């Protein structure tokens, strides 16, 4: 049989104590009577009750107000209901400021005390549930939100554990919403620099000149508006960790300066004449294919090699669907606590719809959807949207296997607009070669975007091959005509499997 909810009664009047003991007992509560404030504080500190009924007028060195202040210092979640005599308005106001949940003036009827007591106990129970949920969320988050339980995520967890306590740079790759910043913070939390600053910079959201001043700082007079010296993020992160998000958006000039910091641990501020020495661990993240960016000349190869000592590639959510139920449960609990809403149980049809969804926004999209369920208090709207998305996906038009697509738009448009260009001449001389047909597909297997991407790849391959034949495989000349770098053309030749026998 469970123990009754314990309520501490603090009153120096024996008759009032007996009344309150009887009052609480008839309602199934356990009373703990105490007749002086010092003893009440001692017992409270040893074992906090579910609630306290406190008389403000108490004999001795400690009065009711002092006891209330002590209770609040020990455990602020325990509600305190104060009793006061007539004509003590100022004392009651002071008690409410100290944190009393409510007050009852003597003399009173049982009904006057019952309502505020029930409300106080309900609040205490809610506080305990919230604390329990927070503990549960903190325990689950380490394995569910960040790492997951799939084999791929287990390997990522092991890799994080191996490299976290080193100072080597780490490159985190993955689509938007896969949790790259969470991985960066996990590396920081497990490193020897965990008690030093963690500074985040989003390279995508700032113009190049602003980003340079943010990263490296500036001296007074370095540019118009530079009224005083300002340190950069590297200096703020000294002896700590700097997280560079969306690294692929950084311009080549900034890439060179970043490489210098990584190699030598020093840089100069904008307008500065001396070097600034820093000891910073750099963690970078990107949703771009940096290999392709290097081949296209948009990203420095030496910087890529310097950052690529350890790469953590995060899989999209659609490739680890078995984790969607656990993630959904975690987010529902998280936002139920945050918004003080009742827990909503996701029904099997909605859960199946969640598992079947493609999640272009990955874990961030799932989190936003769970937040929506909690705020609305129902899953019906979300289920309807998921079902409509599934129907739309099934009815997307696809190119049947027997029908070849039109020539790629990316090639046809420039040929018509620039009929005298070398590319147009070669393309016209070779005639309209259509892309090769797609492999056999099942209905619903490809979307319209898949068909477009396939057609573009085939058209690109055909045009590069024609240009190489036109220049007798002079790759530098072909690259010049195509308007791309020599290195990018070599990458395209390798990617498309082209050779002279083609």
């Amino acid at each position: 049989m469970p123990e009754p909810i314990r309520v501490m009664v603090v009153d120096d009047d024996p008759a009032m104590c007996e009344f309150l003991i009887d009052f609480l007992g008839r309602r199934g509560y356990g009373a703990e009577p105490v007749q002086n404030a010092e003893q009440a504080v001692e017992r409270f500190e040893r074992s906090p009750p579910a609630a306290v009924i406190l008389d403000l007028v108490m004999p001795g060195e400690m009065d009711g107000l002092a006891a209330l202040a002590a209770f609040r210092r020990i455990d602020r979640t325990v509600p305190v209901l104060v009793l006061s005599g007539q004509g003590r308005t100022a004392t009651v106001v002071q008690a409410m400021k100290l944190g009393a949940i409510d007050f009852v003036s003597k003399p009173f009827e049982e009904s006057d005390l019952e309502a505020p007591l029930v409300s106080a106990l309900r609040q205490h129970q809610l506080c305990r549930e919230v604390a329990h949920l927070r503990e549960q969320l903190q325990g689950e988050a380490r394995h569910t939100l960040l790492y997951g339980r799939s084999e791929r995520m287990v390997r990522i967890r092991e890799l994080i554990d191996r490299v976290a306590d080193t100072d080597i740079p780490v490159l985190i790759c993955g689509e938007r919403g896969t949790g790259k910043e969470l991985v960066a913070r996990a590396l920081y939390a497990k490193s020897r620099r965990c008690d030093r600053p963690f500074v985040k910079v989003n390279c995508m959201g700032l113009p190049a000149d602003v980003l340079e001043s943010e990263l490296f700082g500036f001296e007074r007079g370095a540019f118009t508006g530079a009224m005083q010296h300002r340190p950069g993020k590297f200096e703020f992160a000294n002896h700590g960790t700097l997280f560079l998000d969306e690294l692929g958006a950084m311009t080549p000039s900034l890439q060179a300066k970043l490489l210098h910091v990584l190699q030598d641990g020093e840089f100069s501020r904008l307008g500065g004449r001396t070097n600034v020495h820093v000891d910073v661990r750099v963690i970078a993240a990107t949703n771009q294919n940096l290999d392709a960016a290097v081949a296209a000349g948009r990203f420095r190869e030496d910087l890529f090699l310097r950052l690529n000592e350890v790469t953590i590639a995060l899989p999209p959510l659609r490739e680890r669907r078995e984790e969607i139920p656990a993630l959904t449960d975690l987010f529902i609990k998280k936002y139920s606590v945050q918004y003080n809403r009742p827990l909503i149980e996701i029904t099997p049809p909605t859960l199946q719809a969640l598992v079947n969804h493609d999640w272009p926004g990955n874990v961030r999209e799932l989190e936003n959807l769970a937040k929506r369920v909690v705020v609305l208090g129902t899953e019906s709207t979300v289920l309807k949207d998921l079902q409509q998305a599934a129907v739309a996906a099934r009815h997307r038009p696809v190119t049947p296997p027997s029908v070849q697509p039109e020539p790629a738009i990316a090639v046809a448009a420039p040929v018509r607009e620039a009929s005298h260009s070398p590319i147009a001449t070669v393309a016209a001389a070779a005639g309209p070669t259509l892309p090769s047909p797609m492999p056999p597909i099942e209905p619903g297997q490809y979307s319209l975007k898949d068909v477009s991407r396939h057609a573009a790849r085939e058209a690109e391959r055909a045009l590069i091959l024609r240009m190489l034949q036109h220049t007798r495989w002079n790759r530098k000349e072909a690259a010049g005509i195509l308007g791309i770098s020599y290195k990018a053309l070599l990458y395209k030749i390798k990617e498309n499997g082209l050779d002279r026998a083609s």
Side-chain angles (χ1 to χ4, degrees), residues 64-70 72 76 91-100:
L65 289 174
L68 173 59
R72 299 293 291 170
R76 300 181 66 85
T91 305
V92 169
V93 170
Q94 193 174 354
M96 299 302 288
K97 288 181 178 179
L98 286 172

Side-chain angles (χ1 to χ4, degrees), residues 6 8 41 43 96 130 144 153 178 244 269 279 298 302 325 333 344 364 385 430 442 460 499-500:
R6 187 164 54 91
M8 181 181 288
V41 172
R43 289 194 187 182
M96 299 302 288
V130 168
T144 307
M153 298 307 285
T178 50
L244 299 175
R269 303 187 192 102
D279 173 22
R298 297 191 308 272
D302 46 5
K333 289 178 180 177
I344 295 176
R364 185 182 297 128
D385 291 346
E442 298 294 331
E460 179 184 76
D499 53 33
R500 291 180 183 274

Side-chain angles (χ1 to χ4, degrees), residues 294-316:
V294 168
R298 297 191 308 272
F299 200 86
R300 292 180 63 102
E301 185 176 13
D302 46 5
L303 176 60
F304 175 66
L305 294 174
R306 188 72 175 82
L307 290 170
N308 200 30
E309 293 182 26
V310 174
T311 298
I312 299 177
L314 293 175

Side-chain angles (χ1 to χ4, degrees), residues 127-284:
C127 288
R128 291 182 61 186
E129 289 177 0
V130 168
H132 175 70
L133 276 173
R134 282 182 178 144
E135 274 183 26
Q136 188 177 0
L137 288 172
Q138 289 172 357
E140 289 181 358
R142 287 189 290 271
H143 299 285
T144 307
L145 179 60
L146 177 58
Y147 304 121
R149 299 186 177 96
S150 66
E151 184 179 349
R152 292 177 68 177
M153 298 307 285
V154 168
R155 290 202 297 269
I156 288 173
R157 178 177 62 205
E158 293 172 348
L159 181 56
I160 289 174
D161 289 339
R162 285 200 299 271
V163 304
D165 203 26
T166 66
D167 284 337
I168 60 174
V170 177
L171 180 63
I172 307 168
C173 302
E175 297 179 8
R176 286 188 175 92
T178 50
K180 297 186 289 293
E181 184 175 346
L182 290 174
V183 173
R185 291 187 179 276
L187 288 165
Y188 164 72
K190 292 174 177 286
S191 72
R192 63 172 67 98
R193 299 173 182 258
C194 61
D195 58 341
R196 299 304 180 95
F198 178 92
V199 179
K200 175 187 173 182
V201 179
N202 190 327
C203 304
M204 177 71 78
L206 297 172
D209 52 346
V210 177
L211 179 59
E212 183 176 7
S213 64
E214 280 291 306
L215 286 173
F216 303 108
F218 55 82
E219 298 289 352
R220 180 180 178 182
F223 51 83
T224 304
M227 304 302 294
Q228 59 184 4
H229 153 76
R230 179 181 170 187
K233 299 297 186 183
F234 266 102
E235 290 176 79
F236 285 123
N238 195 24
H239 302 297
T241 302
L242 181 67
F243 175 49
L244 299 175
D245 199 9
E246 303 292 354
L247 180 73
M250 189 175 284
T251 61
S253 59
L254 274 181
Q255 293 172 24
K257 201 163 183 178
L258 174 61
L259 177 63
H260 177 64
V261 179
L262 291 173
Q263 289 177 339
D264 301 331
E266 63 180 24
F267 63 90
S268 60
R269 303 187 192 102
L270 290 177
R273 298 182 179 180
T274 59
N275 285 339
V276 179
H277 297 270
V278 289
D279 173 22
V280 176
R281 185 192 191 175
V282 173
I283 300 174

Side-chain angles (χ1 to χ4, degrees), residues 277-472:
H277 297 270
V278 289
D279 173 22
V280 176
R281 185 192 191 175
V282 173
I283 300 174
T286 182
N287 60 2
Q288 299 183 20
N289 184 342
L290 290 188
D291 284 301
V294 168
R298 297 191 308 272
F299 200 86
R300 292 180 63 102
E301 185 176 13
D302 46 5
L303 176 60
F304 175 66
L305 294 174
R306 188 72 175 82
L307 290 170
N308 200 30
E309 293 182 26
V310 174
T311 298
I312 299 177
L314 293 175
L317 187 58
R318 62 183 172 273
E319 293 181 8
R320 47 188 182 109
R321 297 179 186 272
E322 68 276 13
E323 295 175 357
I324 291 175
L327 285 167
T328 304
D329 182 61
L330 178 69
F331 290 136
I332 292 289
K333 289 178 180 177
K334 172 184 176 181
Y335 289 108
S336 295
V337 170
Q338 183 171 328
Y339 297 126
N340 195 21
R341 298 294 178 91
L343 280 175
I344 295 176
E345 185 176 352
I346 301 297
T347 60
T350 302
L351 193 58
Q352 189 59 50
L354 291 170
V355 172
N356 292 339
H357 187 55
D358 279 341
W359 301 109
N362 293 293
V363 180
R364 185 182 297 128
E365 182 185 356
L366 176 60
E367 182 175 9
N368 291 337
L369 186 143
K371 185 192 302 184
R372 184 177 164 200
V373 169
V374 172
V375 171
L376 295 177
T378 176
E379 62 179 21
S380 58
T381 305
V382 169
L383 176 59
K384 183 179 179 181
D385 291 346
L386 290 172
Q387 289 171 340
Q388 290 175 349
V391 170
R394 286 197 297 271
H395 290 85
R396 286 192 188 110
V398 296
T399 304
S402 59
V403 178
Q404 292 183 345
E406 294 293 326
I409 296 174
V411 175
V415 168
R416 287 196 297 268
E417 294 172 3
S419 57
H420 301 292
S421 70
I423 295 178
T425 304
V426 174
T433 302
L434 297 179
S436 62
M438 295 178 67
I441 57 176
E442 298 294 331
Q445 182 179 354
Y446 287 93
S447 68
L448 188 58
K449 289 182 179 179
D450 294 327
V451 176
S452 300
R453 282 195 293 266
H454 177 80
R457 282 196 301 269
E458 291 295 327
E460 179 184 76
R461 183 181 188 279
L463 183 60
I464 291 174
L465 180 59
R466 292 175 196 163
M467 193 60 59
L468 289 168
Q469 291 169 343
H470 175 72
T471 60
R472 295 181 177 82

